[in-house]
Amino acid sequence: MRAITLALAAVLAFPVAAQASAGARSAATANVEVGDFFFRPAYTRIEPGDTVTWRIAGGGPHTATSRPAAPAAFDSGELLSGQEFSFTFAAAGRYPYLCSLHDFMRGVVQVGPDTVDPKLSKLVATVRASRVWVAFTLAETSKVSASVATVKRPRKKLRRIRAKTVEEGRRSLSVKIGGLKPGRYRVTLTARDPEGNARSVKAPFKIPKPKP
Ligand SMILES: [Cu+2]
């Protein structure tokens, strides 16, 4: 009888212990390598309470400095080869940062899930030579794909370019339209951020009749 009681106690204790360990997730540390001139990975996904450690792998000096849009500010100061800087992110949110010495070196720490679609401006589509050029502003580094379709229904997709990583900022890309007849078309751009949130924007354009 005593053995049965002990066995039962063990069975009852197990789910309670399992629950406790699932609830109290221990804080983790994510590492970012700071090279000449990049952050790797440029996108770090962590949970609230976790820490990010930046380590200078290149020659340096470099910094890891939060940008104004970050919910909390941090700044490593100038670090040389082999030096480290750690910051613990208490609150969920998106923390863009850069190297203050080389402001083209950029990264993002995403704390908790990212549910915000990447912002994409209106497109400006211009036909030049045998391509349509699309100019836009992208608010966060995303995978961008593009396609060209007819305006008339049924809409047919005629050209597309595969998704490629495009950094935030003012950008342009082009889609080949050689071989398409003169007429009205539209180009659709889709930006997908590292967590899969996506946004699409369309713009019309016209392929003119060739001048006689
Ligand atoms: Cu730098």
Side-chain angles (χ1 to χ4, degrees):
M1 186 65 203
R2 183 150 178 259
I4 292 167
T5 310
L6 281 176
L8 190 61
V11 167
L12 286 173
F14 179 72
V16 176
Q19 238 171 18
S21 67
R25 175 188 167 276
S26 58
T29 296
N31 295 299
V32 176
E33 177 192 335
V34 186
D36 302 326
F37 296 83
F38 55 86
F39 294 104
R40 187 157 59 212
Y43 182 87
T44 301
R45 170 69 164 83
I46 59 172
E47 295 299 330
D50 289 353
T51 296
V52 174
T53 297
W54 287 266
R55 186 170 187 281
I56 310 295
H62 298 292
T63 80
T65 307
S66 57
R67 290 170 60 195
F74 56 88
D75 185 9
S76 67
E78 291 186 20
L79 301 175
L80 293 169
S81 190
Q83 292 185 314
E84 286 183 358
F85 168 70
S86 291
F87 186 80
T88 298
F89 294 81
R94 182 182 150 77
Y95 296 74
Y97 65 90
L98 48 64
C99 168
S100 63
L101 304 175
H102 314 102
D103 68 5
F104 57 91
M105 288 174 61
R106 291 176 176 213
V108 172
V109 176
Q110 174 67 42
V111 184
D114 174 8
T115 54
V116 180
D117 291 346
K119 266 192 213 152
L120 196 56
S121 69
K122 272 192 183 168
L123 308 181
V124 178
T126 312
V127 173
R128 217 184 311 140
S130 58
R131 291 176 169 269
V132 58
W133 286 85
V134 189
F136 55 96
T137 302
L138 182 62
E140 72 178 286
T141 298
S142 302
K143 290 236 178 192
V144 176
S145 59
S147 62
V148 166
T150 53
V151 170
K152 270 191 198 157
R153 288 170 190 277
R155 289 206 178 99
K156 268 192 233 163
K157 270 193 188 167
L158 301 167
R159 299 283 188 273
R160 66 170 71 220
I161 56 167
R162 264 203 266 159
K164 55 179 167 189
T165 299
V166 174
E167 300 217 354
E168 58 167 273
R170 290 167 63 91
R171 302 285 170 230
S172 69
L173 53 78
S174 70
V175 185
K176 278 187 197 165
I177 51 171
L180 295 185
K181 290 180 200 154
R184 295 177 172 281
Y185 298 90
R186 63 181 201 181
V187 58
T188 303
L189 218 68
T190 301
R192 192 174 297 276
D193 72 17
E195 291 207 47
N197 305 301
R199 182 166 302 185
S200 290
V201 181
K202 300 173 190 356
F205 71 94
K206 208 172 152 183
I207 299 179
K209 289 197 174 112
K211 287 185 185 121

